[in-house]
Amino acid sequence: MIGEVIMEMIIPKLMATIVDDGVTAGNMDVIYSVGAKMLVAAIIGLLVGILGAMFGSHAATGFARNLRRGMFRNIQTFSFANIDKYSTAGLVTRMTTDVTNIQNAYQMLLRMAIRAPASMIVALIMSFTINAQLASVYLVAVVLLGCALMYIMVHATNYFTGAFRKYDDLNESVQENVSAIRVVKAYVREKFEGEKFRKASENVRQLLMRAELILAWNAPLMTLAVYSCILIISWLGARLIVLSGATSFTTGDLMSMLSYCMNILMSLMMLSMVFVMITMSAASAKRVAEVLDEKSDLTNGENPVTEVKDGAVKFNNVSFAYKKDGEKALENINLDIKSGETVGVIGGTGSAKSSLVQLLPRLYDVTEGSVEVGGVDVRKYDLETLRNSVAMVLQKNELFSGTIAENLRWGNPHATDAEIEEACKQACADEFIERFPDKYETYIEQGGTNVSGGQKQRLCIARALLKKPKILILDDSTSAVDTATDAKIRHSFAEKIPGTTVFIIAQRISSVENADHVLVLDNGRISGYDTPENLLKTNAIYQEVYNNQTKGSGDFDEKGGEA
């Protein structure tokens, strides 16, 4: 950029020489020689300008890539508690719009923040070497225009900052509409969703429009300053030429001064745009920095344990709250579960069943007490080791775009075809996979939209089984499966993975009635923990749910909540 500026500043000076020593004097040799120098300067300026633009583009796009990569990698390390701080739409906005704003500002900084000051300083110096009195006009114009542009910049950037915050609402509206498009169409809510999106986009439009209306004053102010300087310089310069007889100030000098006038004032305008871009991107930079600086609250301690002995689980006076000083989701949980046992977990909605099992793979850390797996506090394990030993089939099943085999290999990337088929048999997924024309190469759409809820659940169970875990957690993961298939899956577990500790969270009594023990949760506390037979005799909640479901009413929340 500096090389380009130097070449641009040399050309007006050479032009003055051509006019004074060549055109006015009628000397063609001077015109040819100085013209050749101007051509060389122009070519050098073009080449270094191209190199500057190329290197600047590489740097800016590489910087944006590094920001996105850094954010994505850091997000992968987040615990659930970290993820809860950000909305999905907010993270998407940070990785797209915010990074783009930073990239544009960075590229402008590389080009304009060096070019504009250098151009203005060199042009001022060259102007003062020609005529200091006339050059002082530029200083006055620079000060006045600088104050006006600073006023514009401050007021415009306030609106830009507000607009970028509104992008989160805009992206959230789009995300919700696309992900829930089937529900939207089923309830004929297209107009409602359209109105919601219109309001979000209108908020962004209004803020950006106000900012752009303020920035629009840049052009007329710049034009006013340029033409005012041209008029003043032309008037004063012409008087100097006439009064001095073109001795102290020549026509070529006047042409150079006018060229430098444009360079100085355009440089000032470029600087104003640089400051606007910096201020615009400052809000984006803060949002990106929040994600980059966020550190997972779940980290490995010193010398972490790298082997899980077995699937024995122990809860020691465990209490848990999602937020610090917030309401406790679990309180005073004490359990001692032997390796290989099957434990059923039942309770009404909001009784913290999922919260309980999420403490095992350390998706969250306990607030009080401790959770042990294999006789060791989970906080002492290497996180990767622990989570490879605990397989979870979450309440909300997720499949990814790709073939069935590719989805199943999420559980074990090195699984053989035979191992995949065996896991599918245990999860009773082979029954429907074999009916597909492409069998295990059948393509699954994003989110598993081309398979039924029950099929999706069985594929997720098979995926978990491929991990060959010490602990298997089924979080209401057979709710879409018929009772007969549910029984087959449980029977398969008892036969095929007898050494694995299994947690079955369920609403149906039939899903847990053959478990070794059943845990009954009520508002985050243990209401009962015993064999199904004993609970049927001693626990009022279990009794009522059992009686209602065996009589045909299967709604746990409605009936069990009254007990």
Side-chain angles (χ1 to χ4, degrees):
M1 290 298 100
I2 293 173
E4 185 180 9
V5 167
I6 291 172
M7 293 301 106
E8 285 182 358
M9 295 302 107
I10 288 174
I11 289 174
K13 191 71 175 174
L14 293 174
M15 185 173 64
T17 303
I18 284 183
V19 172
D20 293 335
D21 300 338
V23 177
T24 304
N27 190 335
M28 290 300 298
D29 291 336
V30 171
I31 293 175
Y32 287 138
S33 62
V34 176
K37 292 177 183 178
M38 289 178 66
L39 181 61
V40 171
I43 292 172
I44 294 173
L46 175 65
L47 291 175
V48 295
I50 290 172
L51 288 173
M54 184 177 69
F55 292 144
S57 298
H58 276 294
T61 53
F63 182 45
R65 177 201 62 193
N66 292 343
L67 285 177
R68 291 191 177 100
R69 183 184 295 171
M71 279 195 290
F72 187 81
R73 286 178 176 173
N74 202 38
I75 290 170
Q76 302 307 304
T77 68
F78 285 179
S79 67
F80 280 17
N82 295 118
I83 292 172
D84 291 343
K85 294 180 182 179
Y86 304 96
S87 66
T88 304
L91 290 174
V92 170
T93 304
R94 284 170 166 84
M95 296 189 73
T96 52
T97 305
D98 287 328
V99 171
T100 300
N101 290 335
I102 296 170
Q103 176 183 340
N104 292 336
Y106 183 60
Q107 186 164 6
M108 185 170 282
L109 269 173
L110 290 174
R111 289 183 58 78
M112 302 305 178
I114 296 173
R115 176 190 175 88
S119 180
M120 186 167 63
I121 291 169
V122 172
L124 278 171
I125 293 172
M126 297 294 284
S127 298
F128 272 93
T129 60
I130 295 171
N131 189 292
Q133 288 180 330
L134 286 180
S136 61
V137 173
Y138 298 147
L139 286 179
V140 175
V142 165
V143 172
L144 293 177
L145 189 58
C147 293
L149 294 178
M150 186 64 68
Y151 176 84
I152 290 172
M153 183 189 72
V154 170
H155 284 75
T157 49
N158 290 334
Y159 288 114
F160 279 122
T161 301
F164 295 145
R165 293 197 190 102
K166 294 293 182 182
Y167 273 118
D168 284 356
D169 297 335
L170 192 67
N171 284 343
E172 186 173 2
S173 176
V174 174
Q175 180 198 346
E176 284 185 347
N177 184 266
V178 173
S179 61
I181 192 67
R182 289 170 175 78
V183 179
V184 172
K185 290 186 176 296
Y187 284 87
V188 197
R189 298 288 281 177
E190 290 91 344
K191 288 184 179 179
F192 173 80
E193 287 294 316
E195 181 64 20
K196 188 168 72 172
F197 179 81
R198 188 194 67 78
K199 288 179 180 177
S201 59
E202 180 64 19
N203 288 335
V204 175
R205 186 192 73 84
Q206 287 184 358
L207 288 169
L208 290 178
M209 183 180 69
R210 291 173 186 172
E212 295 293 345
L213 285 174
I214 295 174
L215 285 180
W217 283 97
N218 255 357
L221 284 174
M222 192 68 217
T223 303
L224 177 64
V226 168
Y227 286 121
S228 297
C229 285
I230 289 174
L231 286 171
I232 295 171
I233 295 296
S234 298
W235 169 252
L236 296 177
R239 289 190 76 240
L240 283 174
I241 293 171
V242 172
L243 293 174
S244 67
T247 54
S248 63
F249 193 74
T250 66
T251 305
D253 291 335
L254 178 59
M255 292 181 65
S256 296
M257 290 292 288
L258 293 175
S259 296
Y260 291 133
C261 170
M262 294 297 294
N263 280 319
I264 292 167
L265 298 178
M266 289 303 294
S267 297
L268 188 61
M269 188 173 183
M270 285 190 289
L271 277 177
S272 74
M273 294 306 298
V274 168
F275 284 119
V276 169
M277 286 297 297
I278 290 172
T279 313
M280 283 171 56
S281 63
S284 295
K286 289 177 183 176
R287 286 158 54 83
V288 169
E290 285 176 2
V291 179
L292 291 173
D293 293 339
E294 182 79 23
K295 300 301 179 186
S296 175
D297 51 11
L298 302 179
T299 55
N300 290 333
E302 293 185 10
N303 301 316
V305 179
T306 56
E307 183 181 357
V308 179
K309 184 177 65 173
D310 55 38
V313 174
K314 192 172 184 180
F315 287 78
N316 300 307
N317 297 315
V318 168
S319 294
F320 169 71
Y322 283 98
K323 294 182 179 179
K324 190 177 181 181
D325 301 324
E327 184 180 352
K328 291 180 179 178
L330 292 166
E331 193 169 0
N332 297 327
I333 304 296
N334 287 282
L335 292 170
D336 192 352
I337 301 166
K338 295 181 177 62
S339 181
E341 285 190 343
T342 298
V343 178
V345 184
I346 65 172
T349 301
S351 60
K353 303 184 297 296
S354 296
S355 301
L356 178 81
V357 295
Q358 286 176 356
L359 299 176
L360 295 175
R362 211 183 160 203
L363 298 178
Y364 292 97
D365 264 343
V366 298
T367 306
E368 298 173 15
S370 64
V371 177
E372 295 179 8
V373 170
V376 178
D377 191 321
V378 292
R379 289 169 291 196
K380 295 181 180 179
Y381 279 113
D382 173 70
L383 269 174
E384 187 175 345
T385 300
L386 176 65
R387 290 175 181 173
N388 275 331
S389 299
V390 180
M392 288 191 71
V393 183
L394 299 172
Q395 196 168 7
K396 184 180 179 182
N397 299 286
E398 289 292 345
L399 292 176
F400 299 87
S401 54
T403 65
I404 289 177
E406 288 170 347
N407 268 278
L408 294 175
R409 284 196 170 95
W410 273 67
N412 181 0
H414 307 293
T416 63
D417 292 342
E419 288 174 328
I420 289 175
E421 291 176 12
E422 178 60 28
C424 289
K425 287 179 182 177
Q426 293 179 36
C428 296
D430 61 319
E431 300 172 0
F432 67 86
I433 293 174
E434 293 297 332
R435 292 198 297 268
F436 291 146
D438 296 327
K439 295 182 170 51
Y440 290 89
E441 295 304 312
T442 300
Y443 189 80
I444 300 293
E445 302 290 344
Q446 183 179 359
T449 55
N450 59 333
V451 291
S452 70
Q455 291 172 339
K456 190 190 297 185
Q457 286 185 338
R458 282 180 277 176
L459 286 174
C460 289
I461 292 171
R463 181 174 63 189
L465 290 172
L466 276 174
K467 290 183 74 172
K468 298 178 181 177
K470 299 283 196 309
I471 299 173
L472 175 63
I473 300 169
L474 305 178
D475 188 353
D476 204 15
S477 54
T478 57
S479 56
V481 175
D482 61 86
T483 307
T485 304
D486 186 13
K488 285 182 184 178
I489 293 172
R490 287 184 280 107
H491 180 72
S492 174
F493 289 167
E495 283 191 349
K496 303 293 184 180
I497 51 172
T500 300
T501 305
V502 180
F503 287 83
I504 302 174
I505 298 176
Q507 293 290 341
R508 293 189 300 216
I509 289 291
S510 60
S511 297
V512 299
E513 62 183 357
N514 293 320
D516 297 304
H517 293 89
V518 174
L519 172 65
V520 182
L521 287 175
D522 185 26
N523 293 322
R525 291 175 173 269
I526 295 178
S527 171
Y529 178 70
D530 209 332
T531 63
E533 294 79 9
N534 290 337
L535 285 175
L536 195 55
K537 299 174 184 176
T538 60
N539 188 272
I541 294 178
Y542 191 87
Q543 288 171 353
E544 184 162 0
V545 176
Y546 179 87
N547 290 331
N548 286 329
Q549 290 191 3
T550 53
K551 291 176 182 176
S553 171
D555 195 325
F556 177 90
D557 292 325
E558 185 177 311
K559 301 301 180 182
E562 297 173 359

